[in-house]
Amino acid sequence: MPELGEVAHAAKLLSTNLKGKTIANFVTDAKDTLVFPSISPQERSKIEHAYVSKTVADIGRHGKYFWIILSGGRESAKAQKKKAGEYNVMLMHFGMTGWLTIRNVHSHFFPMERSRNGQKPDDYEEKAAAEPWPPKYNKFLLSTDDGVEMAFTDPRRLSRVRFLQIANSNADVETAEQIENELMKLEPLVRMGPDFSKAESRWSQDEFLEVLSKRKVPIKSLLLDQAVCAGVGNWMADEILFQSRIHPEQYTDKMSLKKKQQLYNMLCEVCEIAAETEGNTDKFPKSWLMLHRWSKRQKKGERSVTADGHIVDFVTVGGRTSCFVPKLQTLENATHESNNAGDEKLEAKENSRAKKPKTEPADDDDLKPARTRKRTRK
């Protein structure tokens, strides 16, 4: 699933290739009623017509969402003046298997679930270059007046594309920041937490610690909560916990203050690096777990190991496969005395599970529907 880093890459592709250009053609998949929620094919037809001749004013992103801001259009000068301060926005979310492709423009992105032992297959680029245009499973096609062609694809139809109108409350200041502020007041972005890759968006350490103090859940589950950490998905959560040396099953109410502070620092650092590198694994630090979490055992008894030689293992937390290093990520004891036998029993169970040897790493079933996921421990 594309996460914060991959979304930053998509936003960069759009900004580099579309910003400032005029839309010459825009066509959506008329049969798809899932990718385009709450809007009929007839309404989409009107939008397709209205978007032609509009200019791509800017590109924005927050967490796993990104958007294209459009301005101008076919309206007369009088109509445009009447609509001053109103902008059209295409708000997009990749879901599990969505992506965008710009014709004849290279992208380093590839679905990690297709990797071979954590690496991109040797023939992947050749196969990608040989694919016909428009791509299979395209949900909308957009082209500009100077010949740039872009396709939004999704074979599983779990992505979402919304067409919004934003009324800028400060029409005298026509900036992407002003429009983003208005956009963040609307569904579904209004329910999103901070994007920790952006210093202006994220909570302070004290604010983050206050959130932790009010929760009693496994830390992996909290990091995946988009109302807390927008943009953090499965692999990023695993990386944050590995760099913090925290077990994915560690309960938030049983973490020491030092670990919580370390978690905040690593949350900011990993998100920043993921966005800066645009999710390009070739540019990730060699010490990152991400480079090893997708590797599968090749023969009996063989395990994937980190750059430092530590064995990588897997555990299921909240229905999600979590990769971690048992030697470095252990469960902490309670930071305060348990008030009842139930808490003590739970803590003992957690410690027992952390020490239990695994016979084989679990397959990463992050992309499977919850009802079909299999338990990874026997």
Side-chain angles (χ1 to χ4, degrees), residues 95-328:
M96 290 185 177
T97 57
W99 189 245
L100 60 83
T101 303
I102 298 179
R103 193 173 190 178
N104 298 325
V105 173
H106 177 263
S107 166
H108 62 252
F109 172 80
F110 83 103
M112 283 300 293
E113 64 271 14
R114 298 182 190 174
S115 68
R116 295 175 182 170
N117 205 28
Q119 301 297 320
K120 184 185 296 185
D122 294 336
D123 59 349
Y124 182 84
E125 298 293 354
E126 294 179 6
K127 289 184 177 180
E131 289 182 356
W133 190 271
K136 192 176 182 181
Y137 306 118
N138 74 80
K139 297 304 159 187
F140 74 75
L141 298 170
L142 182 154
S143 61
T144 65
D145 55 355
D146 64 349
V148 176
E149 296 179 81
M150 188 270 278
F152 186 102
T153 62
D154 185 6
R156 293 185 63 184
R157 303 171 66 202
L158 296 170
S159 58
R160 294 293 179 265
V161 179
R162 294 174 171 85
F163 304 106
L164 307 175
Q165 274 196 319
I166 304 299
N168 187 357
S169 60
N170 188 356
D172 294 331
V173 184
E174 298 180 357
T175 66
E177 182 180 354
Q178 289 287 334
I179 298 170
E180 180 175 340
N181 289 339
E182 297 300 323
L183 191 61
M184 293 300 296
K185 298 175 184 178
L186 304 178
E187 290 284 353
L189 289 175
V190 70
R191 292 181 279 110
M192 296 297 105
D195 181 332
F196 281 84
S197 71
K198 301 184 287 187
E200 69 277 9
S201 166
R202 62 190 179 222
W203 291 322
S204 67
Q205 184 179 94
D206 288 342
E207 289 172 321
F208 181 70
L209 295 183
E210 184 179 354
V211 171
L212 283 181
S213 69
K214 297 177 180 178
R215 304 291 289 269
K216 188 177 181 181
V217 295
I219 186 59
K220 174 68 180 284
S221 298
L222 182 134
L223 291 178
L224 293 178
D225 185 346
Q226 297 302 291
V228 177
C229 305
V232 174
N234 210 22
W235 79 256
M236 286 187 65
D238 286 348
E239 193 63 58
I240 292 163
L241 293 175
F242 173 68
Q243 298 299 331
S244 305
R245 300 300 190 257
I246 298 173
H247 194 285
E249 292 181 302
Q250 179 69 55
Y251 267 70
T252 53
D253 63 317
K254 297 182 183 296
M255 291 172 60
S256 65
L257 176 60
K258 182 178 179 180
K259 281 293 185 182
K260 291 178 180 179
Q261 293 172 333
Q262 190 171 357
L263 176 66
Y264 175 81
N265 292 333
M266 289 302 104
L267 172 60
C268 296
E269 182 175 313
V270 170
C271 287
E272 286 178 356
I273 293 176
E276 289 171 3
T277 60
E278 299 175 29
N280 188 348
T281 56
D282 293 336
K283 296 182 179 181
F284 286 172
K286 301 303 179 184
S287 61
W288 271 29
L289 181 67
M290 173 58 174
L291 303 177
H292 311 283
R293 79 180 300 275
W294 291 91
S295 300
K296 305 300 180 184
R297 187 169 63 179
Q298 300 300 304
K299 58 185 178 180
K300 189 174 181 179
E302 184 179 337
R303 294 285 191 89
S304 177
V305 297
T306 66
D308 295 328
H310 296 300
I311 293 176
V312 173
D313 210 339
F314 299 82
V315 67
T316 299
V317 183
R320 307 293 294 277
T321 299
S322 300
C323 181
F324 74 113
V325 176
K327 187 174 181 179
L328 303 178

Side-chain angles (χ1 to χ4, degrees), residues 250 253-256 332-338 347 351:
Q250 179 69 55
D253 63 317
K254 297 182 183 296
M255 291 172 60
S256 65
E332 279 191 304
N333 291 323
T335 56
H336 56 273
E337 290 295 325
S338 298
E347 181 181 329
N351 284 316

Side-chain angles (χ1 to χ4, degrees), residues 335-346:
T335 56
H336 56 273
E337 290 295 325
S338 298
N339 293 324
N340 56 64
D343 286 344
E344 294 173 356
K345 184 178 180 180
L346 177 61

Side-chain angles (χ1 to χ4, degrees), residues 37-63:
S38 305
I39 185 170
S40 68
Q42 292 75 20
E43 291 174 308
R44 270 191 278 140
S45 179
K46 294 179 181 179
I47 290 173
E48 291 171 357
H49 179 75
Y51 277 17
V52 173
S53 79
K54 287 188 178 294
T55 300
V56 178
D58 215 329
I59 311 296
R61 67 174 179 85
H62 184 90

